[in-house]
Each structure stands twice: as C-alpha cells, then as structure tokens.
Amino acid sequence: MNSAGTTMPDEKPVSPNRIALKQLPDSSEALTEDFQRYQFYHLGRFHGCPAVYTYHALAWTLRDRLMSDWMNTYAERDQPGKRRAYYLSLEFLIGRALSNHVLNLGLDAASREALQSFGQTLETVAEEETDAGLGNGGLGRLAACFMDSCATLNLPVMGYGIHYEYGMFRQHIENGYQVEEPDHWLRDGNPWEVERSEFTCRVPFGGHTEHFHDKTGIPRARWADTSDVLAIPYDMPISGYRNHAVNTLRLWKSAATDVFDLNEFNAGSYSEAVQAKNHAEHISMVLYPNDSSENGKELRLRQQYFLASASLQDALRQWRAAGNSNLMQFAEHNVFQMNDTHPTIAVAELMRLLLDDERLQWDEAWAITSRCMAYTNHTLLPEALERWPVALFERLLPRPLEIIYEINARFLRQVAIKWPGDIDRQRRMSIIEEEPVRQIRMAWLAIVGSFSINGVAALHSRLLKEGLFRDFVELWPHKFNNKTNGVTPRRWVAHANPGMTALISSRIGEGWIADLSHLARLKPLAASGNEAFHAEWRAAKRANKVRLAALVEAECGVTFDPSALFDVQVKRIHEYKRQLLNVLHVIHLYNRIKHGHLEGSVNRCVLIGGKAAPGYVMAKRIIKLINSVADVVNNDPDVNGRLKVAFLPNYRVSSMEIIAPATDLSEQISTAGKEASGTGNMKFMMNGAVTIGTYDGANIEILDAVGEDNFFLFGLRADEVEALRGRYQPLSYMERDPALRQVIDLLISGHFNPCEPGIFDMILGAMMSPNDPWMVLADFRTYVDAQERVDQAWQDEARWTRMSILNTASSGFFSTDRTMQEYNADIWKLT
Ligand code: 26Q
C-alpha cells in the first residue's frame, strides 16, 4: 500500500492516472500550528472559548491528515478487475470519531501537545463530540465494528447507509419513565463528512409500468411517470489502525429533484411543490427506533428502497469508472453483503437495473445478481421477520414488484421439480405469503437471491438451519454458513481502557491491538506467582470503576463504591433479554438484607441501562420498575450501602466506552435460543469482566473459550425451553421456591409503587402467565444460585483476579478482525 505519498521502492504507484497525494507533516509542531490556525483564523476563537470549538479545530486538523491516505486508498481501489465488497445496512452505529482517528493515526502525543497550548485535555475535548447514533443496537454497532476491521485489514470494503438527520432518540427519565427526545446530531456540523454531490443518483418511486418490444423484438419493461428522489452521498472516512488505509462509509441523504419542483411550481401550485420537496426529504429524516421489525410502515420501505437503489447505481458507476465494461464480469468484481433483510429489496433492484437500464436478458441478469448478493440474518424471533404488503409495493414500487413475481415464479418451478406435488412446501417457500393478506417475505427473497446466507453465532446458525430456513437448507445446503460476530479491540479496549491497554502491552507488547490472538500470551500471567501483575490488573480495573462511579453519580445521583462488585446489564430493553430476571434478583437480595440474611453475600452495585422502543409498552414499564426498585433500595437505611441500584439514562456507544472497562460481572441472561449472538458480552469479556449467562448466542462460544470455571452458567437450554412450551407452569416455581414467592409477594404488595398502585400488574401478569414466552420464573432459581457462586468467587480476591485475566486472555477470537477474515475467506474472496 502506498503510504506517505513517497512511493516505496517495492510498491506500485497508486493509479496510472492519479498523482499520489502528499501527506501533511504530523510532528507536534505542525499539528499545533494547524490546530491554532483553525482555532484563530477559521473559527475566530481564542483561549477560554467553549470546548466545542476546540473539538472542531482539532477534528479539522486530523481530518486534513486523513485526506491523503483516504484519497490514495481510493485510487488504489479504483482499478479495473479489482474485486470489492459493499456492506449494505440501514444502520451504522458509529459513536464518536475523534479519539478513534487519533488512536489509528498514532497522533495521541501530538494532539495532546497541541491541546496543551490551549489548556485543554484530549479527554474533555473528545467529550464535546456528539455520538453518531445511526443505529438501534447490536446490528448497527456490528456494522461499525466491521468497517473498522476492514480498514485495519486493508480490505476493499465500502459501507452504504442512510444519512439520517435524526439518529437514535435521546432518552431521559422523568418520574422513572422513559421520555424520548429527538437526536439532532448534526446541529453543530459534522467535521467527519464530505458531501460528494457529483455522485448524486435518482431513485424512482410510484408511477406505473409499461411493456413493449424493443427494436430487436425483445420484450422490455419501462417504469413510467415516477416521482423521483435525489440521493446525495456524504462520505465518512474509516481509518485503519496505523496502516494508512482509509475506507469509505457512504451515507445517502434524500432531496427533491429540481424538475419535480419546477413542474408543480409552473403549474401555479406552489404549496404542492413545497410538499413534494418535503416528501422527498422525509426519507432520510429519521432512524426507525425499533430493534425488531415494525411492519408495514411506508416510510420505512421508502428508506429501504432508497438505500438499495442509490447504492447499486453507485456501485455500477464506480465499477465502470474503474475501467470495466463487460457486465458479465460484474459479479466477479462485486459482492453485496446485506445486513439483515432491511436492504434486501436490492435483489430486485439489481435485476431491474440490469434488465431495464442495461438491457440484459433475464438469465444473464439473474446469473449476475444471484452471484453477488449475500445475506446475514440477525434474529430467530419469527415475528421479527420482515414482510411487506403487496398492496404497498403495487403503489410504491410497481416495477420491483413485477420482478419479485418473476423471481418467485421461476423459483417455485424449481421447487416443484425437486418436490413434485408438494403443494404445502410450495406454499411455505413462496416469496409471496397469500394468507391472511398478500405479503412479501423479505427473508425468502434474500435467500433465493443470495449465494451465501449466514447466522451470527454457532447456535444461531444451527437453529436457523433446523428451524426457520429448513426448507431452503434442503434445497441449497451449500448456501448456509456461520460467521460468529466480534467487536473491534481498537475502540473497545485500546481506546476505552487505556490503563489495561498499557498494562497488557507492558507484558506482551503492542501486537495484540492488530492481532487479538496475541492476548492468549496473558494466560500464564493469570497463575499465582504473578502477584505484581495481578495487583496492577486490579488497580487498572479500580481506576475504571472510579471513572464509572463518577458518571453514575452525575447521571443518576447514586453513589457507587468502587470496592463493591459492579454488576452490569446494558442493552436494548426487551422481554427476551430478561432485564426482569435481573430485577427479581435485585429484589431477592433486598429481601435477604431486610431479613438480616447477610451471610455469604457481598456489596453490589447493580447498573442497568438501555432504550425501549417508543411503542413497546411492556419494555417501558420495565424501565419504570427498575427505577422504582432503585428508589426503594437506595433509600432504605437497612440496606446501608450493601446494595445499590441505578438506571443509567441514554445508554449509547460512548457510555459503553466507560461502562465495559469498569464492569466486574456481565449480565447476559436472555431466554436460551432467543439472542442471536450478543456483542456487548464480548466487549465486557475483553475488558476483564466475568459473565453470568445462559447457554445462548455467542455466550456459548465465550464459555468454550474461557472454560466453565471462569463463567457463571445457568438456566434452561434452548431445546429445554422449547420442550417446556405448552406445559410451562410458572406458579409451580413459586410454590416450590419460597424465595421466589417472597419476591413476587413484595411486588404484588405494591412495596415499590406505593403512590402508583397497579402500575406493575402488567409485568406480574406476564411473568405469571403459562404463556410467558420468555419463561422468566423458570430460570429464577438457577440464576440466584449462580449469583451466589458469583459472591463466593468475588470474596476470594485472588480467584476473581485470575478469572478476570483469563477472560481477557481468552477473548482473542471475538475480534471483528477474525470475523472479517472469515467473511473474506468464505464469502467475499477479496485479494
Ligand atoms: C426492521 C423493520 C422496521 C423497523 C425496524 C427494524 C429493525 C431495526 C433494527 C429490526 C431489527 C433491528 C436490529 C436488530 C439487532 O440489533 N439484532 C441484534 O444483532 C446483533 C448483531 O448480530 C446480535 O448480536 C443480537 O443478538 C441481535 O439481537
């Protein structure tokens, strides 16, 4: 790779028709000079100005230094015959960028020196950056970690997403309830994006189709009278770790076409013209705040098609611009990885572009499309599988709908040949669901159109094959594979946990940051005889706990004692994730304290955080319960500091950067078979937390890696959960377990809601129903027992230290570098 603009002797020049851009000097003198120029001459601000301006001045200084690598990386990728991957995702949960670029560019010392001339620290200035919260949770954050690893591995991968004006809503708590506020993250401007209006695309909607024969007599279709929307790209640089590679995340912003406005305007209908403009701009206005599907919303479908169409048009344009022309080679050079079903309308859209615009025959177009699409599934919940009403497609996307019908007709012929007369199977496998209303099954479209289909953890991929996707596995077993998720160690350890990072590097060098398998070299240091290392390990953890305690104090007004066990569950609030089980345990501990049963238990600080989808009534009530229980526990003098409970508002990427390094116990307690993978579990493990968890998702692989002595396993397994369905009797658990009985009785008594009677009845009703799909009460006893094992382990400081070190030392597999290498080896095949 070309680095600094000076071409290395053994390297090829960047591109035949481009000049390598020279790199700016990165000495601290040069950085300080540029930084001060931005501060004074660009922003017009002096010493003592609000820190946000200092943030902007430093961001621009660093951005300048990214530019040469960015353009040179681009030029290197931009050559005929080079294969590329595109990651299509409705979500990229990026978080903050400044510290990440500082780390990747190796400009920590120089940046600090520049800031010192202004009396500022890197930490306070970095705090000024608003999180780019363009995602809901795991799926969106995974996309961001993937982008980081691809840049670090120097893989030619480009991300395509939507430039939402408003990201994930901000959460605050009023009287214990979640209140949502819009997240206008771009208000102060975004120094990390470059508008590239020269690559604007047009995306059609509405209209109708016309069929005709072309000059050579071949039947063709035309999508006419469409209302087009412009897609304007905004590029964000994704820097690799100290390798001079900078990839691109391209986010599309919607805008009205001029023509559209003018026609209406000239017809004298000014307000209609403005309305049309509004309609177009709405597409990229706001991220949908649901972390499971919200069915049938027209705007959401518009977003999906907008992303798919603009991205595919752009990929075709790029491929041509690189000097390619023979479309039959398009699939050799391009692969599109679809992040869940959200962008899978891309299957029909690529067909449309190839048939209608490029004038290929159906078989040619299908050969290309089905060789360059790949689909990742992220859920086992059948209710979360996306379906779209055919009627909506008829109105919004009539031409893609015709193509889907044709794909389906040809596919069902294949099914009929393999299983003649099996009508039931044809009905099950049809992309169109007929009853009760005609709907398009997006997952089926994705499977039919893709050459690779993967789940995100070993258990998840197996359950998909045995369950939801079984019919398709019988037809195409070779398409299905697993790619266990990961997280980027740059953000989640090197940046978030500088204390532990320095300690690890002092013993095994810095190589682990770019090759996490090196962490295994810490294993011998976990044994006794390494007391100095152990003491330093504990000291690093303690400093992180002090930092988190300050955050909890500031945000929740609750005092956490850093010598207590920090017990943390942060993730979206969802019944299957069972925050309720956590709360039941908290009430159980409170009960014990109230009854004077203090033997064997340890001081605990329980932290819970996460957002509930605004329309998810039960999830919002669970937040209220957590806050109500916290109020009672924290203010009861009998508790006397033995137990603290806090709900951290507005949980987001930048909060996790403080939380994960400070956590002792990581709560991963979903109903087995429901959490596809989990990735928070990996962030905690890397930072030396021990997991208490069910046999679910990637927990299983974490357990395999670290061993059962260093993991607190409990609860029913996925097959046991399924076997219990239909015979589940929650009341029988209460009869057999007096501790559970007392917890439920205390809830029923209204102890936690004296002024708001009845507000938790819906929660009690759900937990005590034989139809509770999450079987909360079934796992209560084994959970409490596992928590008692936690207490025992915590009391033995040397043992806990060993477990903590072994968790970090065993986490090498969970780097997205490994995940990306697997995607590349098995699916993308980039060179
Ligand atoms: C769909 C349609 C309409 C509106 C919203 C949505 C929507 C949005 C986001 C549906 C699902 C999501 C997000 C899902 C998600 O985050 N899944 C998680 O993905 C992680 C990465 O693979 C896994 O680790 C988690 O187990 C999984 O829950």
Side-chain angles (χ1 to χ4, degrees):
M1 184 204 22
N2 189 290
S3 56
T6 45
T7 307
M8 300 297 195
D10 56 347
E11 278 180 314
K12 288 199 289 288
V14 280
S15 176
N17 49 6
R18 276 175 218 263
I19 300 156
L21 202 71
K22 244 175 75 185
Q23 207 162 38
L24 293 177
D26 55 13
S27 65
S28 42
E29 295 74 36
L31 229 74
T32 305
E33 193 183 318
D34 282 12
F35 164 74
Q36 295 195 346
R37 202 186 53 241
Y38 277 117
Q39 189 84 60
F40 299 136
Y41 294 90
H42 186 80
L43 295 168
R45 255 91 186 183
F46 293 100
H47 296 84
C49 70
V52 65
Y53 297 107
T54 309
Y55 156 70
H56 276 274
L58 183 61
W60 279 89
T61 306
L62 293 166
R63 176 188 144 129
D64 288 349
R65 277 153 184 82
L66 282 169
M67 272 306 168
S68 53
D69 286 342
W70 197 4
M71 295 185 66
N72 293 337
T73 305
Y74 188 84
E76 188 196 81
R77 309 260 194 267
D78 194 24
Q79 291 177 47
K82 285 230 168 167
R83 191 169 160 81
R84 289 203 206 180
Y86 295 97
Y87 200 72
L88 299 183
S89 178
L90 272 280
E91 308 195 359
F92 286 90
L93 188 43
I94 303 163
R96 292 177 176 149
L98 179 87
S99 305
N100 191 241
H101 290 306
V102 167
L103 172 72
N104 287 341
L105 297 175
L107 291 177
D108 191 90
S111 301
R112 286 178 192 280
E113 215 162 297
L115 289 173
Q116 216 168 31
S117 72
F118 250 67
Q120 297 271 16
T121 69
L122 188 52
E123 285 71 21
T124 47
V125 169
E127 278 282 307
E128 291 298 319
E129 182 172 3
T130 311
D131 279 37
L134 310 184
N136 272 283
L139 166 150
R141 181 56 229 175
L142 185 75
C145 284
F146 279 8
M147 294 303 293
D148 180 277
S149 283
C150 288
T152 294
L153 295 168
N154 200 9
L155 290 172
V157 177
M158 187 167 182
Y160 277 125
I162 293 180
H163 187 271
Y164 299 109
E165 289 296 313
Y166 294 87
M168 189 60 198
F169 67 81
R170 293 187 191 167
Q171 175 197 58
H172 68 254
I173 301 297
E174 274 176 30
N175 181 32
Y177 290 99
Q178 164 174 302
V179 176
E180 302 95 17
E181 276 176 323
D183 163 49
H184 197 184
W185 69 291
L186 294 164
R187 185 165 316 182
D188 297 333
N190 178 8
W192 305 112
E193 67 187 19
V194 176
E195 181 183 331
R196 295 220 180 272
S197 16
E198 65 270 36
F199 301 134
T200 298
C201 300
R202 282 180 95 91
V203 179
F205 287 98
H208 57 91
T209 62
E210 290 168 2
H211 293 264
F212 62 99
H213 286 82
D214 69 11
K215 286 190 285 263
T216 58
I218 295 170
R220 297 264 165 221
R222 187 168 34 227
W223 187 358
D225 290 333
T226 52
S227 309
D228 295 357
V229 171
L230 296 182
I232 304 167
Y234 286 73
D235 287 359
M236 297 182 67
I238 307 289
S239 56
Y241 179 70
R242 307 214 175 152
N243 66 351
H244 295 284
V246 180
N247 280 346
T248 300
L249 172 59
R250 180 159 285 177
L251 302 177
W252 298 103
K253 176 176 174 160
S254 62
T257 57
D258 298 338
V259 195
F260 203 79
D261 282 346
L262 269 180
N263 283 343
E264 296 265 10
F265 192 77
N266 292 338
S269 37
Y270 173 76
S271 53
E272 279 78 2
V274 174
Q275 228 173 46
K277 184 172 155 65
N278 261 327
H279 201 53
E281 285 170 0
H282 274 148
I283 292 179
S284 61
M285 193 62 75
V286 61
L287 167 79
Y288 272 81
N290 280 359
D291 64 341
S292 55
S293 82
E294 173 167 329
N295 273 326
K297 292 287 190 298
E298 174 175 334
L299 182 59
R300 173 74 177 182
L301 182 59
R302 283 180 174 274
Q303 290 183 337
Q304 296 184 348
Y305 182 68
F306 173 76
L307 169 66
S309 181
S311 308
L312 290 170
Q313 291 180 44
D314 192 60
L316 271 159
R317 182 197 53 75
Q318 287 193 58
W319 176 78
R320 284 224 167 80
N324 301 291
S325 56
N326 180 0
L327 273 172
M328 296 318 290
Q329 291 181 326
F330 186 76
E332 283 166 42
H333 299 154
N334 296 283
V335 54
F336 299 91
Q337 190 71 44
M338 299 183 289
N339 200 17
D340 218 305
T341 49
H342 315 157
T344 52
I345 185 63
V347 171
E349 178 62 4
L350 183 54
M351 285 299 287
R352 184 186 76 84
L353 295 170
L354 295 175
L355 292 168
D356 299 359
D357 293 2
E358 306 294 340
R359 308 276 156 135
L360 296 190
Q361 304 285 317
W362 182 277
D363 290 332
E364 296 169 328
W366 185 249
I368 295 167
T369 301
S370 58
R371 277 180 181 83
C372 60
M373 293 288 168
Y375 158 54
T376 304
N377 172 285
H378 296 264
T379 184
L380 279 155
L381 308 180
E383 66 270 25
L385 288 187
E386 277 193 292
R387 293 172 166 84
W388 289 105
V390 167
L392 182 56
F393 258 74
E394 274 165 355
R395 187 156 52 78
L396 216 59
L397 304 169
R399 180 58 186 144
L401 177 63
E402 285 181 348
I403 292 170
I404 292 172
Y405 281 147
E406 185 64 23
I407 293 172
N408 195 38
R410 289 169 185 251
F411 165 63
L412 289 179
R413 259 175 261 154
Q414 248 182 294
V415 175
I417 290 168
K418 175 137 182 160
W419 293 284
D422 193 342
I423 304 299
D424 199 47
R425 191 186 288 262
Q426 285 185 39
R427 201 177 32 73
R428 287 201 309 267
M429 296 180 79
S430 173
I431 295 171
I432 310 293
E433 184 171 84
E434 299 289 338
E435 303 283 345
V437 278
R438 300 190 76 214
Q439 301 205 90
I440 303 173
R441 296 164 164 155
M442 298 309 277
W444 280 202
L445 177 62
I447 294 172
V448 173
S450 297
F451 68 92
S452 166
I453 296 129
N454 73 282
V456 290
L459 174 75
H460 171 235
S461 297
R462 180 166 68 74
L463 293 177
L464 277 180
K465 291 213 268 178
E466 291 170 359
L468 279 175
F469 294 171
R470 209 168 110 189
D471 288 325
F472 292 93
V473 175
E474 286 177 28
L475 186 60
W476 296 311
H478 55 276
K479 285 193 184 186
F480 293 82
N481 63 94
N482 172 247
K483 294 288 168 285
T484 298
N485 283 166
V487 303
T488 171
R490 269 74 62 187
R491 179 175 298 262
W492 296 114
V493 188
H495 157 66
N497 201 341
M500 198 178 88
T501 295
L503 176 58
I504 294 172
S505 298
S506 75
R507 299 306 201 277
I508 65 170
E510 287 189 354
W512 60 275
I513 298 173
D515 180 354
L516 208 65
S517 66
H518 286 200
L519 285 183
R521 297 179 193 167
L522 289 173
K523 284 182 187 170
L525 292 172
S528 58
N530 297 284
E531 271 65 34
F533 179 69
H534 292 196
E536 286 182 70
W537 189 267
R538 281 192 297 269
K541 180 61 87 177
R542 190 182 167 90
N544 295 333
K545 290 169 78 170
V546 170
R547 186 171 64 156
L548 175 59
L551 179 72
V552 171
E553 183 79 59
E555 297 289 318
C556 319
V558 177
T559 308
F560 274 13
D561 173 3
S563 56
L565 173 78
F566 278 22
D567 170 350
V568 180
Q569 185 177 25
V570 285
K571 49 183 78 234
R572 288 301 288 262
I573 311 293
H574 207 295
E575 287 165 281
Y576 85 80
K577 294 176 186 284
R578 296 202 296 193
Q579 282 89 0
L580 273 179
L581 186 57
N582 191 346
V583 176
L584 295 186
H585 175 246
V586 168
I587 298 174
H588 167 71
L589 291 179
Y590 172 67
N591 247 333
R592 287 193 46 161
I593 295 170
K594 291 297 277 183
H595 288 92
H597 299 317
L598 304 175
E599 71 293 346
S601 63
V602 304
N603 292 350
R604 271 191 199 237
C605 297
V606 178
L607 184 67
I608 304 178
K611 292 173 183 174
Y616 191 169
V617 176
M618 183 67 85
K620 292 177 117 174
R621 197 57 57 91
I622 291 170
I623 292 177
K624 171 66 176 174
L625 176 62
I626 297 164
N627 281 306
S628 301
V629 171
D631 270 351
V632 170
V633 169
N634 296 337
N635 295 309
D636 187 328
D638 293 348
V639 174
N640 196 16
R642 275 182 272 266
L643 179 63
K644 287 287 175 77
V645 184
F647 183 88
L648 185 80
N650 203 29
Y651 171 63
R652 58 198 188 278
V653 172
S654 55
S655 356
M656 187 55 156
E657 291 166 8
I658 310 292
I659 294 168
T663 295
D664 297 307
L665 184 67
S666 155
E667 299 270 353
Q668 307 299 335
I669 60 179
S670 52
T671 310
K674 300 302 171 193
E675 189 69 272
S677 163
T679 45
N681 48 3
M682 302 169 185
K683 294 162 200 165
F684 285 118
M685 180 198 199
M686 265 178 209
N687 283 283
V690 186
T691 305
I692 183 166
T694 47
Y695 207 70
D696 198 17
N699 291 357
I700 298 173
E701 289 155 88
I702 289 176
L703 170 64
D704 279 350
V706 77
E708 57 186 23
D709 291 346
N710 305 299
F711 186 111
F712 298 97
L713 179 67
F714 75 95
L716 297 176
R717 309 253 167 146
D719 52 343
E720 294 168 330
V721 167
E722 288 321 310
L724 192 57
R725 245 179 247 297
R727 327 184 277 109
Y728 176 51
Q729 302 246 327
L731 300 187
S732 73
Y733 295 91
M734 289 167 57
E735 282 155 18
R736 276 179 280 151
D737 191 340
L740 175 58
R741 173 87 253 172
Q742 283 178 33
V743 168
I744 299 292
D745 283 346
L746 201 59
L747 271 170
I748 292 175
S749 75
H751 187 79
F752 301 104
N753 50 323
C755 303
E756 295 165 282
I759 57 170
F760 300 130
D761 290 359
M762 61 186 295
I763 291 177
L764 283 160
M767 281 194 300
M768 297 198 298
S769 159
N771 299 318
D772 172 21
W774 323 114
M775 301 190 178
V776 177
L777 301 195
D779 282 343
F780 176 81
R781 180 37 53 192
T782 56
Y783 180 52
V784 167
D785 290 348
Q787 291 285 17
E788 284 173 8
R789 285 184 274 130
V790 169
D791 284 355
Q792 276 170 26
W794 180 255
Q795 277 163 336
D796 181 347
E797 188 179 63
R799 177 169 167 217
W800 192 277
T801 307
R802 189 167 68 241
M803 294 174 85
S804 169
I805 296 167
L806 284 175
N807 266 276
T808 301
S810 310
S811 68
F813 181 75
F814 302 102
S815 166
T816 34
D817 298 348
R818 185 270 314 155
T819 312
M820 291 296 86
Q821 278 160 338
E822 289 184 11
Y823 273 82
N824 191 35
D826 301 342
I827 306 172
W828 301 342
K829 313 215 188 269
L830 308 166
T831 42

